[in-house]
Amino acid sequence: MRYDFASDNTAGMAPEALDALVRANAGFQRAYGADDHTARAADLIRQKLDADAEVRFVFSGTAANSIALSMLAQPFEAVLAHQAAHVCTDETGAPGFFGHGVGLIGLPGFSGKIDLKALKSALDEPIVGHRQPPAALSLTQATEYGAVYTVDELRRLIEPVKAKGYGVHMDGARLANAAAAGFDLTEIARLGVDVLVLGGAKAGGLCTEALVMFDKSLARRVDNRLKQAGQVSSKTRFLAAPLLGLLESGAWEGHAAHANLMAERLAEAIVKRTRFVVAHPVEANTVFVRMPEDAHQRLLAEGWACYRFDDGSVRFVCSWATTEEAIEELAFAMTRGQ
């Protein structure tokens, strides 16, 4: 199988990340996050976000998101999120596990963006003793369907949530792609986001995600919480170093811009050369295509790994390693499959 477009997790580490990992391997460093590489990576994240924050590096996005949500909601409460958000569809109940019962309330909205009316309706629901009331909002930037929220769109969603005194989490697994598409990272803290997960894995790093706590009260005994969750590495430098390499070199956004461009090229080829329909606006690095089952099965039989998403479209994901030659080969395969 060819996994070029199956996910941005299928590519290897970007050269800048791998080089930084090799450099971090030299000599001796203090353990458990007290090393220079980890400190430098955290400082660069604060600089990029233009905000003071507590930063920790964990092994996966699932752990980062779930632990973040457990900071914002009690076990008898719930988190509002888009119904297609990763926390709702792809984390096997981890938010409830780490949150000791925290629930999720799925909301509709086109291309993974939460519909404002649906959010306000959920916020206006009376609180009764027989179901978990909302206590926080989870936003995904860029969304699971490759859409990028504007600052104004986020503000309209966040303001009524903060007016209720609730917390806000942002899943930034593809935040680099959103930034490369023009989203201003310095607005995240100003909008009132309490805790951000800044993505490294999909940006060309190792498996690391950064847990960024703008509300520093959430960091009270956070190291104890992470230790209990199995998310404290004795050699944290190896978690932080790949992300450090991407941030220092500018490749975190640079590679994301390349991935976004490759997605645009693929979408353009599909529109111009096939009878298939692009199902969602291509704003980041993912392309969703309406195609019949026989065409999808033909692509799979030819070795192209791709799968149907929950809206019925077939997803193709570009990464830092996607080449124009691969775009052309896939587009040609699609024309044969018509």
Side-chain angles (χ1 to χ4, degrees), residues 85-152:
H86 207 272
V87 294
C88 290
T89 63
D90 289 282
E91 293 184 347
T92 322
F97 174 79
F98 282 98
H100 302 284
V102 165
L104 296 166
I105 300 172
L107 300 174
F110 185 66
S111 295
K113 290 184 176 181
I114 293 173
D115 179 77
L116 179 58
K117 289 183 179 178
L119 172 65
K120 288 183 175 179
S121 178
L123 291 173
D124 289 340
E125 283 283 326
I127 296 177
V128 298
H130 301 284
R131 57 180 177 265
Q132 291 171 295
L137 172 68
S138 178
L139 297 160
T140 306
Q141 180 75 319
T143 75
E144 296 296 328
Y145 283 100
V148 177
Y149 283 106
T150 66
V151 171
D152 284 341

Side-chain angles (χ1 to χ4, degrees), residues 273-276 289-302 304 308 329-338:
R273 296 164 55 182
T274 78
R275 62 183 174 89
F276 306 134
V289 185
R290 302 279 182 207
M291 63 172 61
E293 184 60 23
D294 61 338
H296 181 211
Q297 290 301 320
R298 192 174 293 112
L299 282 177
L300 293 174
E302 292 180 8
W304 293 98
R308 284 199 183 276
E329 290 178 44
L330 176 58
F332 182 66
M334 286 186 180
T335 61
R336 292 200 309 273
Q338 298 185 87

Side-chain angles (χ1 to χ4, degrees), residues 255-274:
H255 285 320
H258 169 79
N260 290 2
L261 177 61
M262 292 298 99
E264 290 177 16
R265 297 270 174 86
L266 177 59
E268 182 180 4
I270 291 167
V271 170
K272 289 183 176 179
R273 296 164 55 182
T274 78

Side-chain angles (χ1 to χ4, degrees), residues 13 27 45 50 70 87 134 161 164-165 178 209 269 338:
M13 292 172 64
I45 288 171
D50 190 28
S70 77
V87 294
V161 171
K164 289 275 190 178
E209 309 292 283
Q338 298 185 87

